[in-house]
Amino acid sequence: MANLNNLVKDTAIYGLSSIIGRFLNYLLVPIYTYVIKASTGGYGVVTNMYAYTGLFLVILTYGMETTFFRFANKSEEDPEKVYSTILKTVLTTSLLFVGLVMAFISPISSFLGYPDHPEYIWPMAATVALDAFQSIPFAYLRFKKRPIKFAAFKLIFIGLNICLNLLYFVLLPKLELNPFGIYDQGIQVAYVFYINLVCTGFITFLFWKEYEGFCHGFDWSLLKKMFSYSWPILVLGVAGVLNQTASQIIYPYVKPGAEGVAELGIYGACIKIAMIMAMITQAFRYAYEPFVFGSSKQKDSNEMYAKAMKYFIIFTLLAFLCVVGYIDLLKYIIGEGYREGLKVVPIVMAAEIMMGIYFNLSFWYKLIDQTLWGALFSGIGCLMLFAVNFIFIPKFGYMACAWAGVAGYGTAMLLSYFVGQKKYPIDYPLKDIAIYVAATAVLFAGIKFSSANLGTVLSIMVNTVLILAFCALIVKRDLPLAELPVVGKYFKKAA
C-alpha cells in the first residue's frame, strides 16, 4: 500500500505540472485560432507538422525510455552505466537525423507538401532531435524520484513558450514593432516552429547536472541487449503515435487542397480541448513506468496494478464528464471559426481513455520481456485506424478521424487484455469498472440532453449536478470519507 501511495503522490506532482502546463499551453490555442483564421489553413499546417513531430520523436527515442527503466532496475546492471550508454546513443542518432534533414531539406519539403516553405521543416527537425535527446535526462529524473525538478523544467518550457508566442503573435503586431528587423508578419506559421525550437534549446542547457552521466562509460554488449529489448517497443511506439497522429498526417493526402487543410485546422483546434485526457494519461505514465518496474518483485504487485487500473479509469471518466459538461465554456478556448468541429471532442476523449487503458495493460509483456506482443497489438490497431481514415475521410471528413481513433485504440486494448490474461493474468475489478462505465454513459446522455434543450446557464447548472452525482458514487464506493487522513475523524464522529 505504501508503494501505491507513492504512485499517487508522484502522479499528483507530475499531474499538477501537466495540468498547469496544459492549461497554460491552452493559451496558445486561442492565440493561434484567433490570429490565424480557419479559412487560411494556417493552423492546419501547424497541426500537420506537429503530427510529423510526434512520429519522429518516437522514432528517435526508439523505446529507450522504457528500456532505461527496465535495465536500470536489473540487479546485474549498473544504472549509471545504463544511463550513460543510452544517453550517448540517443545523442548520436539525434545529431545524425538533423544532419540528414539539413542535407536533403529541399526534397523533404517537397515530399511533405511544403516545397516553398523549408522554414517549416528544419526548425521542427532540430526541435524533435533535441526533444528526443532530452527524453533520456527526463527519464533519469523519474528514475531518481525527482518529480519536482522534472515538473519545474516542463513548466519553464511552457512559460517561455507562451511569453514568446504572446510577443510575436499579439504584442509586436499590435504595436506594429519590428525590433532589430527580425519580425515578419508574413511568416506567422513559421514563428510557431521557431519559438518551439528556441524554448526546447533553452531547456536542453538546464540539464547540465544530468550530463555528468556522460562520464560513466559506454558498453557495447549492454547496448546490444538493450536494442533487442527496445526494437519491439519502437514498433509499438510508432504504431501508438500513428494511432494519435496518422489522421493529421494523411488528411492532406486523402483530401488534398485548401479545403482539406482548413478542415484539418478545425479538427486540430477542437481536439486540443479533448487533450485533457492525454494529459492525465501522460501524468500517470510518468509515475507508473518506474513504479511498475520498481515493484514487480513484490508479492502484492498484481493487486496494486489492478487497483491502479481501476482508479485510472475512474478519474479519466470523471474528466470526460467534466469536459463534456462544461463544453459551452471550454469552446471559447478556440476561435469561432473552428467551433463547428466541437462534436469530435467526446469521441476523441473516449479514444484517449482506451489508449490509457491499453497503456496500463501493456506492462504484462514488458515485465516478461516479450515486447513483440506490444508491437503486434499496436500494429493491428494502427492498420484499423488507417483503414477507417482512408475509407471514410472522403465522405465524412474529420469525423472519420475521431472514430478511427476509437477503432484503433479499442482494437489494441481488447487484444492486449485477452492475450495478457493468458500470459500474465491480473485480476482486474471488472465489475466495479463496468459500474462506473455504465454510470458515465447514463450521465453523459443526461448532459447531452440538458446542453441541447436548456439555456447555457441552466444546462451548466444541471450538468454540474450530474457531475457531482458521479463524484458521490466515487466517494460511496471507493473513497470513503471516514478513511481519509485528517478530515476522516470528523466523518467518523458524524457517523
Side-chain angles (χ1 to χ4, degrees), residues 35-99:
V35 174
I36 304 174
K37 301 302 180 185
S39 58
T40 67
Y43 195 69
V45 174
V46 174
T47 301
N48 183 237
M49 288 302 302
Y50 274 117
Y52 280 110
T53 299
L55 174 61
F56 280 101
L57 179 60
V58 170
I59 294 173
L60 289 176
T61 52
Y62 41 91
M64 282 298 175
E65 284 180 277
T66 300
T67 301
F68 168 70
F69 289 116
R70 179 57 174 163
F71 281 78
N73 281 287
K74 286 188 173 184
S75 57
E76 68 271 20
E77 302 292 353
D78 177 8
E80 299 300 329
K81 179 65 70 68
V82 172
Y83 174 58
S84 180
T85 301
I86 292 179
L87 192 64
K88 292 174 181 177
T89 304
V90 174
L91 175 61
T92 301
T93 52
S94 296
L95 291 174
L96 180 61
F97 171 76
V98 173

Side-chain angles (χ1 to χ4, degrees), residues 107-124:
I108 291 173
S109 300
S110 299
F111 176 76
L112 295 180
Y114 308 108
D116 300 324
H117 297 284
E119 70 273 14
Y120 297 166
I121 311 302
W122 68 261
M124 293 307 290

